[in-house]
Amino acid sequence: PEEKEENVKYIQNNSELLIMLVNDILSIGDVERGQFVVNISDVRVNDICQQSMRTAETRLPEGVNLYYTSDVDDDYTIKSDGHRIQQVLVNFLTNACKHTEKGEIHVHTSLSETPGYITFSVTDTGTGVPADEAEHIFERFTKLNAFKQGAGLGLSICKTIATILKGDVHLDTSYTNGARFVFQLPLE
């Protein structure tokens, strides 16, 4: 029974990764054809972060602690596309799960980190990213570790989504205990 359960987890994880890859490819195609759809509505910030974490939980390595903190109240909302915010956060979390074998992955939301913006961050204690690769990793098909799953599209999609939502994504090069990816959206 334990072996069956473990195999089911592998199948589920790989299926989710395949769906993520297909969605990334479709998103790239939509952008290139000028048909990338953005649906602006009220988004409950804490809910979207927690949903993103639930999506990534199946990829979480055993012994790695995943947790969320927030500077905003549970009923705090912004006008944006919740699906696209979740797409960015899930990509960040998927990368964190791939590159963190022990320690923690911390999702955080802040209104004070950069005034006038809401900041979403995913911080891990994994292998990290060399500072000189900070901009390069957001290019299409870029993978720093060829032995890890993925096609190197996720961070490129994140950059595209952030640009379309008038925000920004970047690697926090001042963080050196792993990697810290940041997604910032302007507050209107």
Side-chain angles (χ1 to χ4, degrees):
E2 293 87 21
E3 188 176 341
K4 283 182 184 178
E5 187 176 322
E6 188 173 324
N7 287 333
V8 167
K9 285 182 184 177
Y10 284 130
I11 292 168
Q12 181 181 4
N13 184 46
N14 287 331
S15 296
E16 289 171 2
L17 288 172
L18 184 58
I19 289 169
M20 190 178 213
L21 175 61
V22 169
N23 285 335
D24 285 347
I25 291 169
L26 291 173
S27 292
I28 288 170
D30 289 344
V31 168
E32 290 179 350
R33 289 188 312 278
Q35 298 175 344
F36 192 79
V37 177
V38 175
N39 296 309
I40 303 297
S41 64
D42 287 333
V43 176
R44 289 175 65 114
V45 172
N46 290 339
D47 288 350
I48 208 72
C49 291
Q50 291 165 349
Q51 289 170 12
S52 300
M53 290 172 59
R54 280 191 293 276
T55 300
E57 276 179 336
T58 59
R59 298 175 187 97
L60 190 66
E62 191 173 319
V64 173
N65 182 33
L66 173 63
Y67 67 101
Y68 177 60
T69 57
S70 177
D71 293 348
V72 301
D73 294 329
D74 279 341
D75 60 352
Y76 184 81
T77 62
I78 59 171
K79 291 259 187 223
S80 192
D81 185 328
H83 172 74
R84 299 302 180 183
I85 293 171
Q86 187 171 1
Q87 193 174 358
V88 170
L89 293 174
V90 168
N91 272 313
F92 285 176
L93 283 162
T94 298
N95 282 343
C97 289
K98 280 191 250 184
H99 299 283
T100 306
E101 294 179 8
K102 61 182 179 177
E104 64 184 34
I105 299 171
H106 176 202
V107 181
H108 182 69
T109 304
S110 173
L111 291 174
S112 60
E113 184 170 330
T114 303
Y117 289 81
I118 186 158
T119 301
F120 302 92
S121 62
V122 175
T123 306
D124 66 56
T125 56
T127 55
V129 178
D132 61 340
E133 296 286 347
E135 284 304 312
H136 179 66
I137 60 171
F138 290 97
E139 295 171 7
R140 258 189 227 174
F141 304 113
T142 299
K143 290 178 63 167
L144 298 183
N145 184 339
F147 298 104
K148 295 289 183 182
Q149 284 183 319
L153 293 174
L155 292 177
S156 173
I157 292 295
C158 292
K159 187 78 163 176
T160 300
I161 290 170
T163 300
I164 289 170
L165 294 177
K166 299 180 179 25
D168 178 56
V169 293
H170 63 272
L171 175 72
D172 179 354
T173 55
S174 68
Y175 179 76
T176 58
N177 294 326
R180 180 175 185 259
F181 284 89
V182 177
F183 176 30
Q184 295 179 314
L185 292 173
L187 298 171
E188 296 182 302

